[in-house]
Amino acid sequence: MQDELSQFERSQVWHLVPRPIDRLVIGTKWIFRNKLDKDRTITRNKARLVVQGYSQEEGIDYNDTFAPVVRLEAIRLLIAFAAYMEFTLHQMDIYVDDIIFGATTDKLSKEFAKLMGSEVEMSMMGELNFF
């Protein structure tokens, strides 16, 4: 939980403000998850602080909502395309979630991983061999 709060501070994406008198407060809750490897061994415990969006009222508490969720069909398509084009897929762990990408050469994969790592706090997990 402390890692999550520290990441908010490092990224400068959240700051405490006084509670507005004329607005409802939208609650938060902690989500806990164990990250597993291909052998189903726990590699990391994760904690995420999320907004309880279900307490919002349309037109009153929010203007836009965003929940990035990849569709399984998109991942299957990427894996099939990578197999057809004979390039390797790699995986990186970003602060919010993982990313899967491919390249025709190891040099391009390393350049992309370096670029992503310079923009966002993330680490290279290597070649995708478990999903």
Side-chain angles (χ1 to χ4, degrees):
M1 289 169 58
Q2 187 58 50
D3 287 345
E4 174 82 345
L5 295 173
S6 297
Q7 182 62 35
F8 288 162
E9 193 173 304
R10 282 192 302 274
S11 302
Q12 300 177 351
V13 295
W14 183 63
H15 59 278
L16 188 60
V17 297
R19 178 182 175 177
I21 296 171
D22 61 341
R23 298 282 189 254
L24 294 175
V25 174
I26 298 171
T28 59
K29 68 178 180 176
W30 286 99
I31 302 292
F32 301 99
R33 189 180 87 153
N34 293 325
K35 191 160 193 163
L36 307 174
D37 66 9
K38 64 181 177 184
D39 300 319
R40 312 235 355 117
T41 303
I42 296 173
T43 58
R44 195 164 123 195
N45 298 314
K46 287 189 164 188
R48 294 288 180 251
L49 183 63
V50 298
V51 174
Q52 294 172 315
Y54 54 81
S55 66
Q56 296 173 308
E57 292 183 42
E58 187 171 358
I60 297 173
D61 295 316
Y62 69 93
N63 293 323
D64 297 308
T65 59
F66 181 69
V69 177
V70 67
R71 293 180 56 115
L72 187 55
E73 294 87 356
I75 294 172
R76 287 179 177 159
L77 183 62
L78 176 63
I79 292 170
F81 184 73
Y84 177 77
M85 296 299 291
E86 297 182 353
F87 64 80
T88 305
L89 294 175
H90 297 274
Q91 188 171 11
M92 293 184 80
D93 189 356
I94 62 181
Y95 168 67
V96 175
D97 215 339
D98 293 353
I99 182 173
I100 299 171
F101 68 94
T104 53
T105 67
D106 283 337
K107 180 182 176 189
L108 289 173
S109 293
K110 289 176 184 173
E111 286 178 18
F112 179 78
K114 184 178 178 180
L115 176 65
M116 290 297 293
S118 70
E119 295 292 322
V120 183
E121 186 176 324
M122 57 188 330
S123 59
M124 183 70 163
M125 296 173 62
E127 188 174 328
L128 179 70
N129 54 24
F130 167 74
F131 173 76

